[in-house]
Structure formats: C-alpha cells, structure tokens
Amino acid sequence: MSPSNVPELGQVIARRELTSTAADGSTHPVVLEVGMPVQVPAEGGDWYCPCRISGRAGSVERVTAIWGVDSWQALLLALSLFPAELGYGRAPELSWNGGADLALWPDPARYGDDQSDEGGRQQTEARPD
C-alpha cells in the first residue's frame, strides 16, 4: 500500500465524540476514530493505523494512514494526530464531557515529572493536584 491509496478505517478500536458549538449556539458532534493497526508485508512489514475526524466544519472527512515500524508506534503516532489536528486544545468551539479539556493526550504537568516508585515501576494512579 502506498500513501496515495486511501485506507479503510476497518474495525474501530477507539472513538471519542466531541461537541462543536457554532457562533449561533447550535451544536453538532465531531467524532474521532482510530482503527486497528494493520501490517503491510509489501511495505517491508511496516504497520499503519487508520484514523478519521468526522463532522469538523471546514474539513474534508477522510481516513488517514499513520505509519510506524510496528503496531505500537503506528497506534501512538495515530493518537498524536488528533491533538495536532485540533489545535492542541486551542479550538474554543470544541468541548468534551461538558468541558473545554478534550483530554486527548496526558498532561505531564498534571501528574508530576516522576511517576515511578523506588523499584522503577510506573505508578498507575494520578497524583492529587
């Protein structure tokens, strides 16, 4: 598969619905979707992760293939596309779960710099603010 071929979204493994509020107060959904990573033997075994943003005013709806050397990298890079495409939280018309924080990517400042215990294991609970 070459980047010029349009991929299918396939099986959706993650979905988030945001709310877009127009200047007149009307609202409509903006949907973020990530498909299951796909390995392409013809591309040397590299992987791509399909993703799509639907319902964004002024944007063309399309499935985008984000490539990585394995499924993990393809998925992480695909997830990083959404904050970039949506202005890193600087899209005042968008909200999620009733608030302006779209929670698309973890905020390191919220959890502190060091999230490992003495044994080097990652902590899984958020620290209080």
Side-chain angles (χ1 to χ4, degrees):
M1 176 178 166
S2 70
S4 63
N5 294 340
V6 177
E8 295 287 325
L9 187 60
Q11 179 182 351
V12 175
I13 60 170
R15 182 180 189 276
R16 170 152 298 167
E17 186 172 309
L18 307 175
T19 300
S20 179
T21 304
D24 66 4
S26 62
T27 62
H28 69 275
V30 173
V31 179
L32 315 178
E33 295 173 297
V34 177
M36 184 177 292
V38 176
Q39 187 174 28
V40 182
E43 293 294 328
D46 284 351
W47 292 71
Y48 74 89
C49 194
C51 52
R52 175 173 62 199
I53 300 174
S54 306
R56 185 96 195 265
S59 295
V60 175
E61 183 177 317
R62 69 186 186 285
V63 175
T64 302
I66 304 298
W67 290 84
V69 296
D70 57 17
S71 60
W72 187 275
Q73 184 183 38
L75 177 60
L76 286 177
L77 292 173
L79 289 172
S80 70
L81 170 81
F82 296 109
E85 286 289 317
L86 299 175
Y88 295 101
R90 292 183 300 274
E93 76 278 7
L94 295 175
S95 62
W96 175 71
N97 204 22
D101 182 2
L102 305 181
L104 297 176
W105 203 256
D107 179 4
R110 185 176 198 167
Y111 302 106
D113 293 331
D114 182 17
Q115 293 187 30
S116 58
D117 62 16
E118 294 88 27
R121 295 177 296 261
Q122 287 296 112
Q123 296 177 4
T124 56
E125 296 180 9
R127 295 180 183 172
D129 290 336

